[in-house]
Amino acid sequence: MKNEHIISVYDDPEALSRAAAELFSAEARSAVQARGRFAVALSGGGTPRRAYEHLAQDPFRELVPWQNTHIFWGDERCVPGDDPRSNARMALQTLLDHVPIPSEQIHPMICDRSRLKAAVEYEALLRVFFAAGRPRFDLILLGLGENGHTASLFPGTSVLEEQRRWVSEVHVAEEGLHRLTLTAAAINQAELVVFLVSGADKAPILRKVLDEALDPHSIPAQLIKPVDGRLLWLVDRDAASLLQQRKDGNP
Ligand code: 6PG
């Protein structure tokens, strides 16, 4: 069964990363024009790294209204801030340390103490920021794991059923790591959600997410369906190599 998704396919990871930087800067400008601020949740993992590097350089660096930009994260690994596995560390090193964004507008997920407390505190921060009562991010960037996880929504974990909380702690047994994550319910309140997917190793799971039967408990990325927002897939040709042809000729 084919779900109708908006998928843009790029020749290679570099073209994909440039397109992601273009989209980020365009969404930032239109959000600030419309609402005076741009609230974005960054993704971790390796795929967005090059897009972050592009955003730290011209022309994109000049095009983003950093003074009105607020940076959040979709998920984080519960490791010290200087740990190479830290998503915040990666984004600081590739982007945030190189652009004129006020430091008080950078909101990392800190979970070096009780994870439950850390999740509750990050949600409290979001509820203050989104005073209207829904986590209406202007943009949420997501990746896709080979097992179908996105953010830190892993197959078979109880967080997948969460409907009330915006942020939850997760224990990922297979990697022996605790994580914090936005819940699917919170992600689906966004204006725009963008998946970045690159590489042949992601082709089988991308096909499962987009072309096969809905089974979100084993393929959590299928939980992402913005209630009144847009969902875009920016993928490279290798990742798209197993997708079925669609009416518009695109995979
Ligand atoms: C994380 C991410 C996670 C990531 C996928 C894909 O903290 O690990 O947020 O959801 O996006 O695991 O990771 P890669 O881009 O490295 O393949």
Side-chain angles (χ1 to χ4, degrees), residues 7 24-25 42 51-52 78 85 90-91 115 123 132 145 148 150 179 183 218 229 241:
I7 306 166
F24 184 110
S25 52
L42 300 181
Y52 297 165
C78 293
R85 295 167 296 174
M90 186 275 272
R115 265 76 69 167
E123 178 162 339
T150 188
R179 291 164 169 254
T183 59
S218 0
S241 57

Side-chain angles (χ1 to χ4, degrees), residues 23-225:
L23 180 141
F24 184 110
S25 52
E27 292 298 323
R29 287 196 307 284
S30 62
V32 170
Q33 217 151 35
R35 292 176 285 280
R37 70 181 189 186
F38 175 56
V40 56
L42 300 181
S43 169
T47 306
R49 172 182 282 272
R50 188 73 188 111
Y52 297 165
E53 289 168 353
H54 276 301
L55 286 165
Q57 295 153 21
D58 293 339
F60 303 108
R61 188 177 186 284
E62 293 304 312
L63 293 172
V64 175
W66 296 108
Q67 291 304 316
N68 309 84
T69 294
H70 294 259
I71 303 285
F72 299 88
W73 274 263
D75 72 325
E76 182 60 280
R77 297 98 179 254
C78 293
V79 292
D82 59 359
D83 186 301
R85 295 167 296 174
S86 159
N87 289 339
R89 180 176 179 271
M90 186 275 272
L92 286 161
Q93 290 185 338
T94 55
L95 171 59
L96 302 169
D97 288 346
H98 313 288
V99 294
I101 184 168
S103 57
E104 66 275 14
Q105 290 170 206
I106 299 176
H107 310 283
M109 290 178 163
I110 315 259
C111 54
D112 52 2
R113 49 198 128 70
S114 130
R115 265 76 69 167
L116 172 59
K117 197 159 174 290
V120 169
E121 283 176 5
Y122 202 71
E123 178 162 339
L125 178 145
L126 291 176
R127 284 185 184 274
V128 169
F129 184 83
F130 294 110
R134 61 187 298 213
R136 189 70 170 158
F137 286 95
D138 297 296
L139 173 62
I140 297 183
L141 296 177
L142 293 176
L144 178 65
E146 288 178 44
N147 62 1
H149 81 262
T150 188
S152 285
L153 302 171
F154 279 77
T157 53
S158 58
V159 67
L160 302 182
E161 326 303 328
E162 182 58 58
Q163 296 302 326
R164 191 182 46 77
R165 296 173 68 189
W166 296 0
V167 182
S168 179
E169 63 290 352
V170 183
H171 181 244
V172 184
E174 69 251 36
E175 54 176 31
L177 204 56
H178 290 274
R179 291 164 169 254
L180 293 189
T181 188
L182 293 180
T183 59
I187 293 171
N188 286 334
Q189 295 297 325
E191 282 269 348
L192 172 61
V193 178
V194 176
F195 279 92
L196 304 180
V197 187
S198 172
D201 56 351
K202 297 289 176 68
I205 190 63
L206 188 59
R207 178 189 163 95
K208 268 198 177 158
V209 174
L210 297 179
D211 287 347
E212 294 182 11
L214 278 183
D215 177 13
H217 201 70
S218 0
I219 310 171
Q222 290 181 330
L223 286 170
I224 307 306
K225 284 195 181 66

